[in-house]
Amino acid sequence: MPQEAPLRIGYVPEHFSTPLHFAPSLPCTLKSFPSGTGHMISSLVSNDIDIAIGLTEGWIAGLGRASSSNEHAGYKLVGTYVESPLCWAISTGAARSDIAQEPDPGEWPKGLKGKRMGVSRIGSGSYVMGYVLADMLGWLPSPPASANGEKDKEPFEVMPLQMFDQLRRGVNDRTADFFMWEHFTSKKYFDNGEIRKIGEIYTPWPSWHIVAKDEIVGDTRLEKFFTQLDLGVRYFEEHNDEAIKYISGELDYSEEDAREWLKTVQFAKEVKGVKRSVVDQTLEVLKKAGLVEKDVTADAMIGIKRKE
C-alpha cells in the first residue's frame, strides 16, 4: 500500500507557533507565512497548503466574503488553537508628530479617523481589526454598508503593504499613518525606537483557529495532526523554560518579552473542533463593519464542531 503524502501546513513564524514545533512526529511539512493569515487563505485556494493555523477574524472574514460572492472558499474551520484574545498594538512612525500626540491618552483614537491604515492584505487580521476599532469608536455607518457596496464611508483609507517590515517602513515614510500588529511582535521595534505605540485593542474572541481544505476534513492524517499538536501544547505548557529559550533564540524575541507573553496566552487543551458561538460572534462584528453580507451564516463554515 503506498504511503500517504504528508499534509502541508501553513503557520505564522511567531511565538504562537512554538507548540507546533514541539509537536512530535507531525504528519506534515511546515510552510512559513510571515505575512500572515491573508496570504495563507490565498495559498489554500491555490492548493499550496492543506492545513493552516491563523487568526480567527481572518479565516471567518475570508469564508464570509466567499459566501457573499457565491464563491467556494475551499476551506473550513476545523480546530481551536488559542483560547485567549490577541492584543493588537496600534503603531505609527517614531517621528510622526502629526499622529496621536494628544495630551489626554483617551483622545488619541479620534485622530485616526479618515487616516491611512496600513494592513498586510485585504481581509487579513490587521485589516479586520481596523473595523473592530472603528466599531468600538462608533465610526461605522448605520445601517452597515454592503460588503460589495460603497467605499466612500470607510473609516480609514486602507493601504495593503504585505509584510511587517513594510508596514513599519510605511508609517515612517508616510505611505501609511498607522497599522496594527500583535503586541509582543511589535514591542522590539518600540524598544529600539523604530515605531511608536499609540494604543492597543483586544480581539473579542479566541484569537487563533485551525482550518483545512474541504477534502482534508475527515482525513486520518488530520486526526493524527490534532493528536500530535495536543501533545505539542502539553509539552509547551510543561516546559516553559525550554519554550522561552526557543522563542528568544529562534524567533527573535527577548527573553523578558517571552516570559511576559507566557503570562497572557492560553492554548486550547484539545485543538480539534470549533465552537459555533465563536463564529457567530465574529460574524456579528464583520457584518456590522460591512465586511460580509447580512445573510451569511456560520452553517457552512465549520468542518468540525465542538461542544459549547
Side-chain angles (χ1 to χ4, degrees), residues 269-287:
K269 302 298 183 186
E270 294 183 0
V271 300
K272 181 179 178 179
V274 176
K275 291 182 178 179
R276 168 70 183 253
S277 60
V278 171
V279 183
D280 286 337
Q281 178 189 12
T282 310
L283 273 175
E284 183 180 350
V285 174
L286 297 179
K287 289 176 183 179

Side-chain angles (χ1 to χ4, degrees), residues 8 18 31 58 60 74 80 86 107 119 122 130 169 175 178 187 193 198 221 238 241 246 256 260 262 265 269 304:
R8 302 159 297 172
T18 305
K31 186 171 182 180
I60 297 175
T80 305
L86 189 75
E107 294 294 305
V119 303
I122 300 297
R169 190 179 309 121
T175 301
F178 73 99
K187 187 175 179 298
I198 56 177
R221 292 170 296 172
E238 293 174 354
D241 286 343
Y246 174 81
E256 178 185 2
E260 286 302 308
L262 280 175
V265 67
K269 302 298 183 186
I304 302 175

Side-chain angles (χ1 to χ4, degrees), residues 39 63 66-67 87 106 130 142 146 150 201 239 256 266 269 271:
H39 190 185
L63 289 163
S67 179
C87 180
S142 183
S146 165
E150 298 179 62
I201 181 174
H239 298 82
E256 178 185 2
Q266 180 184 343
K269 302 298 183 186
V271 300

